[in-house]
Amino acid sequence: MENNNDTTTTSTLDNASEFIMANYTALGSIILPNIGGFANGIYFAGQICKGTEKTWYDNLKKPSWTAPKCAFGPAWTVLYSSIGYASYLVWEECADEPERAIVPLSLYGGQLILNWAWTPIFFGLKDLKLAFIELSVLSGAAAATAISFARVNRTAGWLFVPYLAWLGYASSISYYVWKNNPQVKEIKDDEKTQ
């Protein structure tokens, strides 16, 4: 006689497999933007967290409204997933007329690359001015993407609103950090000579 637990496990795995196969495009669209975020987080983790040791980031003067470091990972995961799902909605809406998706999804790809580029500029190059400028360009590209998405699918446009709000918040922090940490250029120059 077949074990009831084995049947339940097999049934659960079959259901999960069916769900993934039926929704692989949506899931891929959600996962894709997170890949760059995860890669940046892993690569630059030492610039943000070093156990009990203070990091370069800890020593920056930041505004009082800066969220705790532990909030950034979950916030970006939700935001990346949201804009990823928005891209899926545009893709699906344009399935019968793929040429309608070219501009919105090209804008999306461009702003996603800009998004992923900010972390290496800020934490890798430690160029606070360039990071702020890049974030400003990213915000404009994200706004253009949201408008373009909304013209295809209103929900997709609305899914960009939290992301745009977060970019505004991040821009205010980036501007403050740039203007209130002139010593960073000196630190970068010292690192080059050592």
Side-chain angles (χ1 to χ4, degrees):
M1 182 165 191
E2 192 173 327
N3 185 337
N4 198 21
N5 286 339
D6 290 342
T7 305
T8 303
T9 302
T10 303
S11 176
T12 302
L13 290 175
D14 287 344
N15 289 341
S17 178
E18 287 174 26
F19 175 80
I20 290 169
M21 293 310 295
N23 297 291
Y24 73 93
T25 307
L27 293 171
S29 297
I30 292 168
I31 292 168
L32 174 65
N34 281 290
I35 291 171
F38 292 148
N40 272 331
I42 291 167
Y43 188 80
F44 291 102
Q47 298 289 325
I48 303 166
C49 298
K50 284 188 179 178
T52 58
E53 191 180 327
K54 278 195 150 206
T55 66
W56 170 81
Y57 179 77
D58 292 325
N59 291 319
L60 293 174
K61 293 176 191 159
K62 294 179 282 303
S64 59
W65 61 88
T66 302
K69 291 187 290 188
C70 64
F72 286 93
W76 276 112
T77 301
V78 169
L79 294 168
Y80 281 141
S81 297
S82 176
I83 66 172
Y85 187 68
S87 73
Y88 165 75
L89 291 176
V90 169
W91 175 258
E92 281 296 305
E93 189 77 29
C94 297
D96 294 335
E97 301 173 75
E99 63 279 352
R100 282 184 55 217
I102 293 171
V103 171
L105 293 179
S106 295
L107 286 168
Y108 172 70
Q111 71 80 35
L112 195 56
I113 290 167
L114 286 168
N115 182 299
W116 293 338
W118 184 86
T119 303
I121 293 168
F122 187 86
F123 289 103
L125 298 176
K126 296 178 176 67
D127 191 328
L128 305 181
K129 180 180 180 180
L130 182 59
F132 173 71
I133 292 168
E134 195 274 352
L135 189 51
S136 299
V137 173
L138 164 59
S139 297
T145 304
I147 292 166
S148 184
F149 274 23
R151 289 181 178 155
V152 173
N153 180 297
R154 285 182 86 77
T155 302
W158 281 111
L159 284 169
F160 258 74
V161 171
Y163 177 56
L164 293 171
W166 186 267
L167 289 175
Y169 168 71
S171 295
S172 71
I173 295 171
S174 186
Y175 180 80
Y176 183 98
V177 169
W178 165 40
K179 288 299 187 180
N180 289 281
N181 291 280
Q183 79 283 3
V184 170
K185 181 173 177 10
E186 296 164 16
I187 292 169
K188 284 178 17 184
D189 290 342
D190 288 346
E191 288 176 355
K192 288 178 187 173
T193 59
Q194 291 178 354

